[in-house]
PDB file of all heavy atoms in Angstrom:
ATOM      1  N   SER A 574      58.209 140.432 -82.570  1.00 98.00           N
ATOM      2  CA  SER A 574      58.581 139.958 -83.898  1.00 98.00           C
ATOM      3  C   SER A 574      60.032 139.456 -83.892  1.00 98.00           C
ATOM      4  O   SER A 574      60.359 138.482 -84.559  1.00 98.00           O
ATOM      5  CB  SER A 574      58.397 141.028 -84.957  1.00 98.00           C
ATOM      6  OG  SER A 574      59.130 142.194 -84.664  1.00 98.00           O
ATOM      7  N   ALA A 575      60.930 140.114 -83.143  1.00 98.00           N
ATOM      8  CA  ALA A 575      62.300 139.673 -83.080  1.00 98.00           C
ATOM      9  C   ALA A 575      62.386 138.287 -82.399  1.00 98.00           C
ATOM     10  O   ALA A 575      63.143 137.421 -82.852  1.00 98.00           O
ATOM     11  CB  ALA A 575      63.158 140.687 -82.340  1.00 98.00           C
ATOM     12  N   ARG A 576      61.662 138.128 -81.327  1.00 98.00           N
ATOM     13  CA  ARG A 576      61.650 136.794 -80.645  1.00 98.00           C
ATOM     14  C   ARG A 576      61.119 135.721 -81.576  1.00 98.00           C
ATOM     15  O   ARG A 576      61.702 134.624 -81.697  1.00 98.00           O
ATOM     16  CB  ARG A 576      60.785 136.855 -79.402  1.00 98.00           C
ATOM     17  CG  ARG A 576      61.466 137.446 -78.175  1.00 98.00           C
ATOM     18  CD  ARG A 576      60.682 137.158 -76.911  1.00 98.00           C
ATOM     19  NE  ARG A 576      60.626 135.733 -76.611  1.00 98.00           N
ATOM     20  CZ  ARG A 576      59.638 135.136 -75.927  1.00 98.00           C
ATOM     21  NH1 ARG A 576      58.580 135.840 -75.557  1.00 98.00           N
ATOM     22  NH2 ARG A 576      59.695 133.857 -75.673  1.00 98.00           N
ATOM     23  N   ALA A 577      60.007 136.014 -82.244  1.00 98.00           N
ATOM     24  CA  ALA A 577      59.408 135.025 -83.144  1.00 98.00           C
ATOM     25  C   ALA A 577      60.344 134.700 -84.291  1.00 98.00           C
ATOM     26  O   ALA A 577      60.485 133.538 -84.715  1.00 98.00           O
ATOM     27  CB  ALA A 577      58.079 135.564 -83.681  1.00 98.00           C
ATOM     28  N   PHE A 578      61.006 135.730 -84.834  1.00 98.00           N
ATOM     29  CA  PHE A 578      61.954 135.537 -85.944  1.00 98.00           C
ATOM     30  C   PHE A 578      63.078 134.612 -85.547  1.00 98.00           C
ATOM     31  O   PHE A 578      63.412 133.644 -86.277  1.00 98.00           O
ATOM     32  CB  PHE A 578      62.489 136.942 -86.350  1.00 98.00           C
ATOM     33  CG  PHE A 578      63.579 136.919 -87.355  1.00 98.00           C
ATOM     34  CD1 PHE A 578      63.326 136.731 -88.709  1.00 98.00           C
ATOM     35  CD2 PHE A 578      64.902 137.103 -86.973  1.00 98.00           C
ATOM     36  CE1 PHE A 578      64.344 136.738 -89.641  1.00 98.00           C
ATOM     37  CE2 PHE A 578      65.922 137.117 -87.895  1.00 98.00           C
ATOM     38  CZ  PHE A 578      65.649 136.943 -89.245  1.00 98.00           C
ATOM     39  N   VAL A 579      63.698 134.860 -84.411  1.00 98.00           N
ATOM     40  CA  VAL A 579      64.826 134.032 -83.952  1.00 98.00           C
ATOM     41  C   VAL A 579      64.372 132.591 -83.742  1.00 98.00           C
ATOM     42  O   VAL A 579      65.056 131.645 -84.145  1.00 98.00           O
ATOM     43  CB  VAL A 579      65.446 134.627 -82.686  1.00 98.00           C
ATOM     44  CG1 VAL A 579      66.460 133.669 -82.081  1.00 98.00           C
ATOM     45  CG2 VAL A 579      66.110 135.980 -83.006  1.00 98.00           C
ATOM     46  N   GLN A 580      63.220 132.444 -83.135  1.00 97.00           N
ATOM     47  CA  GLN A 580      62.726 131.078 -82.872  1.00 97.00           C
ATOM     48  C   GLN A 580      62.389 130.336 -84.154  1.00 97.00           C
ATOM     49  O   GLN A 580      62.518 129.105 -84.241  1.00 97.00           O
ATOM     50  CB  GLN A 580      61.448 131.150 -81.987  1.00 97.00           C
ATOM     51  CG  GLN A 580      61.725 131.656 -80.589  1.00 97.00           C
ATOM     52  CD  GLN A 580      60.435 131.999 -79.834  1.00 97.00           C
ATOM     53  OE1 GLN A 580      59.314 131.816 -80.348  1.00 97.00           O
ATOM     54  NE2 GLN A 580      60.562 132.521 -78.630  1.00 97.00           N
ATOM     55  N   ALA A 581      61.957 131.093 -85.196  1.00 98.00           N
ATOM     56  CA  ALA A 581      61.492 130.460 -86.426  1.00 98.00           C
ATOM     57  C   ALA A 581      62.617 130.018 -87.334  1.00 98.00           C
ATOM     58  O   ALA A 581      62.399 129.220 -88.259  1.00 98.00           O
ATOM     59  CB  ALA A 581      60.595 131.436 -87.186  1.00 98.00           C
ATOM     60  N   THR A 582      63.849 130.468 -87.096  1.00 96.00           N
ATOM     61  CA  THR A 582      64.936 130.151 -88.029  1.00 96.00           C
ATOM     62  C   THR A 582      65.221 128.637 -88.070  1.00 96.00           C
ATOM     63  O   THR A 582      65.689 128.143 -89.115  1.00 96.00           O
ATOM     64  CB  THR A 582      66.234 130.893 -87.612  1.00 96.00           C
ATOM     65  OG1 THR A 582      66.549 130.564 -86.252  1.00 96.00           O
ATOM     66  CG2 THR A 582      66.040 132.399 -87.747  1.00 96.00           C
ATOM     67  N   ALA A 583      64.881 127.922 -87.030  1.00 93.00           N
ATOM     68  CA  ALA A 583      65.165 126.468 -87.014  1.00 93.00           C
ATOM     69  C   ALA A 583      64.259 125.706 -87.971  1.00 93.00           C
ATOM     70  O   ALA A 583      64.623 124.586 -88.417  1.00 93.00           O
ATOM     71  CB  ALA A 583      64.966 125.923 -85.601  1.00 93.00           C
ATOM     72  N   ASP A 584      63.098 126.287 -88.334  1.00 92.00           N
ATOM     73  CA  ASP A 584      62.116 125.561 -89.158  1.00 92.00           C
ATOM     74  C   ASP A 584      61.764 126.299 -90.447  1.00 92.00           C
ATOM     75  O   ASP A 584      60.804 125.956 -91.083  1.00 92.00           O
ATOM     76  CB  ASP A 584      60.837 125.356 -88.338  1.00 92.00           C
ATOM     77  CG  ASP A 584      61.109 124.608 -87.055  1.00 92.00           C
ATOM     78  OD1 ASP A 584      61.701 123.505 -87.108  1.00 92.00           O
ATOM     79  OD2 ASP A 584      60.713 125.114 -85.982  1.00 92.00           O
ATOM     80  N   ALA A 585      62.584 127.270 -90.834  1.00 92.00           N
ATOM     81  CA  ALA A 585      62.219 128.086 -92.003  1.00 92.00           C
ATOM     82  C   ALA A 585      62.390 127.353 -93.315  1.00 92.00           C
ATOM     83  O   ALA A 585      63.323 126.586 -93.483  1.00 92.00           O
ATOM     84  CB  ALA A 585      63.078 129.375 -91.987  1.00 92.00           C
ATOM     85  N   THR A 586      61.462 127.583 -94.232  1.00 93.00           N
ATOM     86  CA  THR A 586      61.608 127.108 -95.598  1.00 93.00           C
ATOM     87  C   THR A 586      61.660 128.266 -96.577  1.00 93.00           C
ATOM     88  O   THR A 586      62.336 128.211 -97.603  1.00 93.00           O
ATOM     89  CB  THR A 586      60.440 126.167 -95.970  1.00 93.00           C
ATOM     90  OG1 THR A 586      59.211 126.816 -95.688  1.00 93.00           O
ATOM     91  CG2 THR A 586      60.543 124.859 -95.189  1.00 93.00           C
ATOM     92  N   ASP A 587      60.932 129.363 -96.277  1.00 96.00           N
ATOM     93  CA  ASP A 587      61.059 130.606 -97.054  1.00 96.00           C
ATOM     94  C   ASP A 587      62.162 131.438 -96.447  1.00 96.00           C
ATOM     95  O   ASP A 587      62.683 131.162 -95.366  1.00 96.00           O
ATOM     96  CB  ASP A 587      59.737 131.384 -97.019  1.00 96.00           C
ATOM     97  CG  ASP A 587      58.640 130.704 -97.806  1.00 96.00           C
ATOM     98  OD1 ASP A 587      58.944 130.027 -98.798  1.00 96.00           O
ATOM     99  OD2 ASP A 587      57.452 130.865 -97.419  1.00 96.00           O
ATOM    100  N   ILE A 588      62.528 132.527 -97.128  1.00 97.00           N
ATOM    101  CA  ILE A 588      63.484 133.485 -96.596  1.00 97.00           C
ATOM    102  C   ILE A 588      62.743 134.376 -95.609  1.00 97.00           C
ATOM    103  O   ILE A 588      61.774 135.050 -95.964  1.00 97.00           O
ATOM    104  CB  ILE A 588      64.113 134.324 -97.719  1.00 97.00           C
ATOM    105  CG1 ILE A 588      64.843 133.428 -98.714  1.00 97.00           C
ATOM    106  CG2 ILE A 588      65.076 135.381 -97.139  1.00 97.00           C
ATOM    107  CD1 ILE A 588      65.284 134.160 -99.983  1.00 97.00           C
ATOM    108  N   LEU A 589      63.183 134.337 -94.341  1.00 98.00           N
ATOM    109  CA  LEU A 589      62.527 135.123 -93.309  1.00 98.00           C
ATOM    110  C   LEU A 589      63.157 136.506 -93.224  1.00 98.00           C
ATOM    111  O   LEU A 589      64.366 136.644 -93.284  1.00 98.00           O
ATOM    112  CB  LEU A 589      62.647 134.441 -91.958  1.00 98.00           C
ATOM    113  CG  LEU A 589      62.218 132.974 -91.857  1.00 98.00           C
ATOM    114  CD1 LEU A 589      62.279 132.480 -90.433  1.00 98.00           C
ATOM    115  CD2 LEU A 589      60.815 132.778 -92.446  1.00 98.00           C
ATOM    116  N   VAL A 590      62.333 137.531 -93.059  1.00 98.00           N
ATOM    117  CA  VAL A 590      62.823 138.910 -92.981  1.00 98.00           C
ATOM    118  C   VAL A 590      62.167 139.603 -91.790  1.00 98.00           C
ATOM    119  O   VAL A 590      60.939 139.611 -91.647  1.00 98.00           O
ATOM    120  CB  VAL A 590      62.496 139.689 -94.285  1.00 98.00           C
ATOM    121  CG1 VAL A 590      63.061 141.100 -94.195  1.00 98.00           C
ATOM    122  CG2 VAL A 590      63.076 138.980 -95.492  1.00 98.00           C
ATOM    123  N   LEU A 591      62.992 140.198 -90.969  1.00 98.00           N
ATOM    124  CA  LEU A 591      62.551 141.035 -89.848  1.00 98.00           C
ATOM    125  C   LEU A 591      62.961 142.478 -90.163  1.00 98.00           C
ATOM    126  O   LEU A 591      64.170 142.758 -90.300  1.00 98.00           O
ATOM    127  CB  LEU A 591      63.244 140.574 -88.552  1.00 98.00           C
ATOM    128  CG  LEU A 591      63.004 141.460 -87.335  1.00 98.00           C
ATOM    129  CD1 LEU A 591      61.603 141.263 -86.812  1.00 98.00           C
ATOM    130  CD2 LEU A 591      64.029 141.118 -86.238  1.00 98.00           C
ATOM    131  N   ALA A 592      62.005 143.356 -90.301  1.00 98.00           N
ATOM    132  CA  ALA A 592      62.287 144.758 -90.697  1.00 98.00           C
ATOM    133  C   ALA A 592      61.768 145.675 -89.607  1.00 98.00           C
ATOM    134  O   ALA A 592      60.542 145.802 -89.438  1.00 98.00           O
ATOM    135  CB  ALA A 592      61.636 145.095 -92.035  1.00 98.00           C
ATOM    136  N   CYS A 593      62.651 146.307 -88.888  1.00 98.00           N
ATOM    137  CA  CYS A 593      62.289 147.259 -87.826  1.00 98.00           C
ATOM    138  C   CYS A 593      62.700 148.649 -88.276  1.00 98.00           C
ATOM    139  O   CYS A 593      63.891 149.021 -88.184  1.00 98.00           O
ATOM    140  CB  CYS A 593      62.991 146.886 -86.509  1.00 98.00           C
ATOM    141  SG  CYS A 593      62.747 145.163 -85.983  1.00 98.00           S
ATOM    142  N   PHE A 594      61.766 149.402 -88.796  1.00 98.00           N
ATOM    143  CA  PHE A 594      62.036 150.705 -89.399  1.00 98.00           C
ATOM    144  C   PHE A 594      62.069 151.833 -88.364  1.00 98.00           C
ATOM    145  O   PHE A 594      61.510 151.692 -87.280  1.00 98.00           O
ATOM    146  CB  PHE A 594      60.963 151.053 -90.429  1.00 98.00           C
ATOM    147  CG  PHE A 594      60.845 150.079 -91.582  1.00 98.00           C
ATOM    148  CD1 PHE A 594      59.817 149.130 -91.585  1.00 98.00           C
ATOM    149  CD2 PHE A 594      61.749 150.111 -92.605  1.00 98.00           C
ATOM    150  CE1 PHE A 594      59.698 148.256 -92.660  1.00 98.00           C
ATOM    151  CE2 PHE A 594      61.624 149.245 -93.700  1.00 98.00           C
ATOM    152  CZ  PHE A 594      60.575 148.299 -93.700  1.00 98.00           C
ATOM    153  N   ASP A 595      62.673 152.922 -88.740  1.00 98.00           N
ATOM    154  CA  ASP A 595      62.614 154.142 -87.937  1.00 98.00           C
ATOM    155  C   ASP A 595      61.622 155.103 -88.592  1.00 98.00           C
ATOM    156  O   ASP A 595      61.123 154.870 -89.716  1.00 98.00           O
ATOM    157  CB  ASP A 595      64.021 154.780 -87.870  1.00 98.00           C
ATOM    158  CG  ASP A 595      64.183 155.747 -86.678  1.00 98.00           C
ATOM    159  OD1 ASP A 595      63.180 155.991 -85.981  1.00 98.00           O
ATOM    160  OD2 ASP A 595      65.298 156.204 -86.484  1.00 98.00           O
ATOM    161  N   HIS A 596      61.275 156.159 -87.873  1.00 98.00           N
ATOM    162  CA  HIS A 596      60.556 157.319 -88.413  1.00 98.00           C
ATOM    163  C   HIS A 596      59.112 157.076 -88.841  1.00 98.00           C
ATOM    164  O   HIS A 596      58.546 157.858 -89.613  1.00 98.00           O
ATOM    165  CB  HIS A 596      61.334 157.948 -89.574  1.00 98.00           C
ATOM    166  CG  HIS A 596      62.719 158.420 -89.168  1.00 98.00           C
ATOM    167  ND1 HIS A 596      63.847 158.146 -89.917  1.00 98.00           N
ATOM    168  CD2 HIS A 596      63.147 159.107 -88.069  1.00 98.00           C
ATOM    169  CE1 HIS A 596      64.908 158.634 -89.327  1.00 98.00           C
ATOM    170  NE2 HIS A 596      64.504 159.207 -88.189  1.00 98.00           N
ATOM    171  N   GLU A 597      58.499 155.996 -88.352  1.00 97.00           N
ATOM    172  CA  GLU A 597      57.095 155.771 -88.694  1.00 97.00           C
ATOM    173  C   GLU A 597      56.206 156.888 -88.149  1.00 97.00           C
ATOM    174  O   GLU A 597      55.211 157.263 -88.807  1.00 97.00           O
ATOM    175  CB  GLU A 597      56.640 154.410 -88.164  1.00 97.00           C
ATOM    176  CG  GLU A 597      55.253 153.982 -88.624  1.00 97.00           C
ATOM    177  CD  GLU A 597      54.107 154.484 -87.784  1.00 97.00           C
ATOM    178  OE1 GLU A 597      54.350 154.989 -86.657  1.00 97.00           O
ATOM    179  OE2 GLU A 597      52.951 154.415 -88.210  1.00 97.00           O
ATOM    180  N   GLU A 598      56.539 157.383 -86.992  1.00 97.00           N
ATOM    181  CA  GLU A 598      55.682 158.387 -86.339  1.00 97.00           C
ATOM    182  C   GLU A 598      55.678 159.730 -87.080  1.00 97.00           C
ATOM    183  O   GLU A 598      54.820 160.572 -86.795  1.00 97.00           O
ATOM    184  CB  GLU A 598      56.159 158.612 -84.893  1.00 97.00           C
ATOM    185  CG  GLU A 598      56.046 157.379 -83.970  1.00 97.00           C
ATOM    186  CD  GLU A 598      54.617 156.957 -83.702  1.00 97.00           C
ATOM    187  OE1 GLU A 598      53.698 157.686 -84.108  1.00 97.00           O
ATOM    188  OE2 GLU A 598      54.429 155.876 -83.115  1.00 97.00           O
ATOM    189  N   ILE A 599      56.586 159.912 -88.007  1.00 97.00           N
ATOM    190  CA  ILE A 599      56.619 161.182 -88.784  1.00 97.00           C
ATOM    191  C   ILE A 599      56.444 160.948 -90.277  1.00 97.00           C
ATOM    192  O   ILE A 599      56.807 161.777 -91.086  1.00 97.00           O
ATOM    193  CB  ILE A 599      57.888 161.987 -88.480  1.00 97.00           C
ATOM    194  CG1 ILE A 599      59.165 161.154 -88.758  1.00 97.00           C
ATOM    195  CG2 ILE A 599      57.902 162.471 -87.048  1.00 97.00           C
ATOM    196  CD1 ILE A 599      60.437 161.954 -88.704  1.00 97.00           C
ATOM    197  N   GLY A 600      55.928 159.760 -90.643  1.00 96.00           N
ATOM    198  CA  GLY A 600      55.570 159.514 -92.029  1.00 96.00           C
ATOM    199  C   GLY A 600      56.431 158.541 -92.798  1.00 96.00           C
ATOM    200  O   GLY A 600      56.130 158.192 -93.940  1.00 96.00           O
ATOM    201  N   SER A 601      57.561 158.095 -92.217  1.00 97.00           N
ATOM    202  CA  SER A 601      58.381 157.033 -92.769  1.00 97.00           C
ATOM    203  C   SER A 601      59.213 157.392 -93.979  1.00 97.00           C
ATOM    204  O   SER A 601      59.929 156.570 -94.533  1.00 97.00           O
ATOM    205  CB  SER A 601      57.534 155.803 -93.151  1.00 97.00           C
ATOM    206  OG  SER A 601      56.936 155.233 -91.987  1.00 97.00           O
ATOM    207  N   ALA A 602      59.148 158.677 -94.396  1.00 96.00           N
ATOM    208  CA  ALA A 602      59.830 159.071 -95.638  1.00 96.00           C
ATOM    209  C   ALA A 602      61.270 159.479 -95.381  1.00 96.00           C
ATOM    210  O   ALA A 602      61.662 160.659 -95.529  1.00 96.00           O
ATOM    211  CB  ALA A 602      59.087 160.206 -96.341  1.00 96.00           C
ATOM    212  N   THR A 603      62.090 158.492 -94.975  1.00 97.00           N
ATOM    213  CA  THR A 603      63.534 158.731 -94.711  1.00 97.00           C
ATOM    214  C   THR A 603      64.297 157.524 -95.220  1.00 97.00           C
ATOM    215  O   THR A 603      63.713 156.492 -95.605  1.00 97.00           O
ATOM    216  CB  THR A 603      63.806 158.906 -93.197  1.00 97.00           C
ATOM    217  OG1 THR A 603      63.542 157.650 -92.534  1.00 97.00           O
ATOM    218  CG2 THR A 603      62.960 160.004 -92.598  1.00 97.00           C
TER     219      THR A 603
END
Side-chain angles (χ1 to χ4, degrees):
S574 59
R576 279 193 66 207
F578 173 79
V579 171
Q580 293 168 3
T582 57
D584 303 306
T586 53
D587 290 330
I588 300 170
L589 307 186
V590 181
L591 173 73
C593 307
F594 299 102
D595 201 354
H596 300 134
E597 188 274 346
E598 297 293 353
I599 56 171
S601 297
T603 67

